[in-house]
Amino acid sequence: EAGVAQSPRYKIIEKRQSVAFWCNPISGHATLYWYQQILGQGPKLLIQFQNNGVVDDSQLPKDRFSAERLKGVDSTLKIQPAKLEDSAVYLCASSIYGGSYGYTFGSGTRLTVV
Amino acid sequence: AQKITQTQPGMFVQEKEAVTLDCTYDTSDPSYGLFWYKQPSSGEMIFLIYQGSYDQQNATEGRYSLNFQKARKSANLVISASQLGDSAMYFCAMREENRDDKIIFGKGTRLHILP
């Protein structure tokens, strides 16, 4: 089966600019997650979707971050305006709800804000 | 309070030796799952092994085994016969069944395998 697809792979922007990341999960996976991984740290959950509904966005900085999952498939994560501290790898993952094999992760998008 | 604690920021191990990566967790949920992921320098997160809280036996996957000590809330990863390709970041993670299937990660341990 095809894996979780993410794009772009790398992105460099200036602070106060906007940026968007795209994720296409594994077909049939109802649950989709966006994680932020700052260099040297473990991934931190930003938002979790079940189909096209939000299950948890408690750690999403909603003043600048937004995410959507139209039609319960692809998802987009946006940052507007970006800050220097947003520099991180943004990982998308998908899973069958309750599966014992955890998530399947995409390759991530490495964002650098200068 | 941290849910997942990995106390070893970095480890150096000689090739072909066994290595144990420590992980302790904190939960009051009786039903949970524990995971280990590997993250090479290329950045992808690779699933290694899973242990359910009700599993009677320790999980094993090839050279990976999970030393599950439920009473101590410990879930250490053991890699036997280490290889140069095992050099990577390793993350312990937990999913609590009553918390919407979220997986929470520890801060990771960087493993260096020496030739």
Side-chain angles (χ1 to χ4, degrees):
Chain A
E1 63 179 5
V4 176
Q6 286 189 250
S7 68
R9 189 76 174 90
Y10 303 93
K11 190 76 176 178
I12 301 174
I13 61 171
E14 295 182 350
K15 60 184 179 183
R16 292 187 289 273
Q17 285 187 327
S18 63
V19 64
F21 313 128
W22 173 82
C23 174
N24 180 243
I26 291 175
S27 177
H29 280 193
T31 314
L32 185 148
Y33 312 81
W34 283 101
Y35 281 84
Q36 179 193 57
Q37 187 178 18
I38 293 173
L39 184 66
Q41 299 182 17
K44 181 183 83 171
L45 180 67
L46 291 177
I47 188 166
Q48 175 187 357
F49 292 95
Q50 180 75 13
N51 296 309
N52 61 348
V54 175
V55 174
D56 184 353
D57 63 357
S58 58
Q59 297 199 80
L60 188 73
K62 297 181 188 63
D63 58 333
R64 299 184 300 105
F65 286 65
S66 64
E68 60 182 7
R69 189 182 184 195
L70 300 176
K71 301 181 182 178
V73 182
D74 293 8
S75 178
T76 302
L77 177 69
K78 296 179 181 178
I79 308 175
Q80 182 179 16
K83 293 185 175 181
L84 296 177
E85 59 261 36
D86 298 331
S87 295
V89 175
Y90 291 85
L91 294 162
C92 179
S94 69
S95 76
I96 297 171
Y97 192 86
S100 64
Y101 290 94
Y103 305 166
T104 302
F105 282 85
S107 298
T109 296
R110 185 178 298 276
L111 173 67
T112 302
V113 182
V114 298
Chain B
Q2 284 193 36
K3 291 273 190 178
I4 299 288
T5 302
Q6 295 181 253
T7 57
Q8 307 152 310
M11 289 185 69
F12 289 84
V13 174
Q14 207 67 41
E15 188 181 9
K16 299 180 185 176
E17 288 184 351
V19 57
T20 298
L21 304 181
D22 296 339
C23 174
T24 57
Y25 59 92
D26 181 28
T27 181
S28 57
D29 193 332
S31 180
Y32 53 90
L34 297 159
F35 303 83
W36 278 92
Y37 282 85
K38 173 184 179 181
Q39 189 176 42
S41 56
S42 53
E44 74 269 31
M45 295 286 280
I46 302 168
F47 165 75
L48 295 178
I49 197 166
Y50 168 82
Q51 179 86 42
S53 59
Y54 294 117
D55 293 342
Q56 295 296 315
Q57 292 187 321
N58 287 343
T60 60
E61 290 286 348
R63 293 186 300 113
Y64 304 107
S65 60
L66 200 151
N67 184 2
F68 181 46
Q69 298 186 45
K70 194 170 182 177
R72 297 179 60 184
K73 295 188 175 178
S74 168
N76 298 342
L77 176 71
V78 180
I79 306 174
S80 63
S82 58
Q83 303 171 357
L84 295 178
D86 294 333
S87 294
M89 281 290 287
Y90 288 80
F91 292 97
C92 180
M94 176 175 66
R95 181 181 65 216
E96 297 166 289
E97 301 298 338
N98 290 333
R99 291 188 182 271
D100 298 318
D101 207 37
K102 287 193 291 290
I103 290 184
I104 301 168
F105 288 82
K107 293 185 176 181
T109 296
R110 181 167 293 282
L111 177 63
H112 303 270
I113 305 298
L114 303 172

